[in-house]
Amino acid sequence: MPIGLIALALGGFGIGLTEFVIMGLLPEVAADFQASEATAGWLISGYALAVVVGALVLTAAVTRFERKPVLAVLLVLFIAGNLISAIAPDYGMMMVGRIIAALAHGAFFGIGAVVAADMVAPTKKAGAIAIMFTGLTAANVLGVPFGTMLGQAAGWRSTFWAITVIGAIALAGILALVPKTGHGDTTPGTLRSELGAFRSGQVWLSILVTILGYGGMFGAFTYIAFTLTEVSGFAAPTVPWLLIVFGVGLFVGNTIGGKAADRNVDRTLVVVLSVLMVVLVGFALTAGNQVLTVVSIVLMGGFGFATVPGLQMRVMKYASSAPTLASGANIGAFNVGNALGAWLGGVTITAGLGYTSPIWAGAGITLLGLVVMIIAAVGAKRAVRQTSADADTEGVPEAHAAPGGRVAAEHIAVLH
């Protein structure tokens, strides 16, 4: 394993910590700035919206530059945002810090996924992406609980000071350990070439699967505290420990999902989305049983995050000639899925359908994602067969039968 992947994972850990730890510190932040709960909540929503903007706009702005220096600049932006949050004198400045850090989030994961994939052999790309995203899962398993405890014990600002230090260490690691060029052959392209990748219908289908597949899991997760306390009957102090269990599921699912996607991306995504839908339905039906609830939480986290390496790999695969912007757009799609799942879950609760209704909503969204994934997989196989038939007819070697012939050959190897 290239040691540079550890530096990318550490950057992912800091970014994931910034995104999620604020949820456990909202009461302290709201009290400090004398803001209402709803107003303080915008520090979360505003961050998510800024991630989408950064994933698209900032990634598009830097496509022509070398990726390693861009990652370093993004981490400088991330460090600056958290430093501003740590010293913010008022709510407005705190929001500025959150937005600056969020702008780096989407672009870092989008470009970092391309860099990670290029650091390894073609058959290990999804696994390399999974290693980078391990930092994000570790942030949920370890970073958020301990970051929350630090903020509660030493003041919420101490947590953002700690994140700033983590960002500085990750920056040093990337400068020292990430190579300028990797094992792959993708190189920075022009914005025009990057935009050209979106002419592929498979890229758009992949992004749609990301929104629906990840949105289904996140819709169920957003209101999990209410489900655990009001339906399952757990005491409120137990919830953080149950979230750690959920985080363990994320970690395991991310690792296994990456290895499986390296063998066959489409088959992995179809199977994982199918099982995730079944898990969500089972969770909704058995949420009143505490033992089965714990099992469901682990499985929901595991299968929910097992989709991530494959989803990111798939969009990069079909945008292989210019993957950077498409990769960034897919990171934005994860956050659109977050917003969609959270919104629909909130609608069901407001409608009086109870605290298991977000889980049912998540299952429905996941089902739609599965349908789109099946359509995408069938279309991809049909295209490969047509390419093979054309190559046989014309007597042209298969790998050169169409523009981007190397990619066509890879598709055949992966799908069959």
Side-chain angles (χ1 to χ4, degrees), residues 148-161:
T148 301
M149 284 189 279
L150 173 63
Q152 291 174 342
W156 64 266
R157 295 178 188 274
S158 64
T159 299
F160 286 92
W161 279 111

Side-chain angles (χ1 to χ4, degrees), residues 332-356:
F334 281 113
N335 283 270
V336 172
N338 292 353
L340 171 65
W343 170 77
L344 189 56
V347 168
T348 61
I349 290 176
T350 303
L353 299 179
Y355 289 120
T356 59

Side-chain angles (χ1 to χ4, degrees), residues 125-283:
K125 290 181 180 293
I129 294 171
I131 290 173
M132 186 190 72
F133 276 98
T134 296
L136 186 60
T137 61
N140 281 278
V141 177
L142 299 174
V144 171
F146 286 105
T148 301
M149 284 189 279
L150 173 63
Q152 291 174 342
W156 64 266
R157 295 178 188 274
S158 64
T159 299
F160 286 92
W161 279 111
I163 297 172
T164 301
V165 172
I166 291 171
I169 296 173
L171 173 61
I174 285 176
L175 291 174
L177 303 175
V178 174
K180 286 188 177 180
T181 57
H183 199 289
D185 58 2
T186 57
T187 55
T190 64
L191 178 57
R192 183 175 181 178
S193 68
E194 293 285 344
L195 289 171
F198 290 93
R199 289 195 295 266
S200 168
Q202 286 291 341
V203 169
W204 286 107
L205 286 171
S206 300
I207 290 174
L208 183 56
V209 174
T210 296
I211 293 172
L212 296 173
Y214 196 69
M217 187 273 286
F218 202 85
F221 175 68
T222 300
Y223 301 96
I224 192 70
F226 294 102
T227 306
L228 294 175
T229 56
E230 302 299 325
V231 180
S232 304
F234 287 102
T238 310
V239 172
W241 298 104
L242 292 173
L243 295 183
I244 292 177
V245 171
F246 174 79
V248 171
L250 295 183
F251 183 86
V252 174
N254 176 65
T255 303
I256 296 176
K259 292 180 179 179
D262 272 327
R263 291 193 292 270
N264 190 304
V265 175
D266 285 2
R267 184 180 302 140
T268 295
L269 289 174
V270 169
V271 170
V272 170
L273 287 171
S274 299
V275 178
L276 176 60
M277 183 186 63
V278 172
V279 168
L280 290 173
V281 170
F283 186 13

Side-chain angles (χ1 to χ4, degrees), residues 11 14 23 221 293 332 339 352 360 416:
M23 296 178 186
F221 175 68
T293 292
W360 285 110
H416 297 285

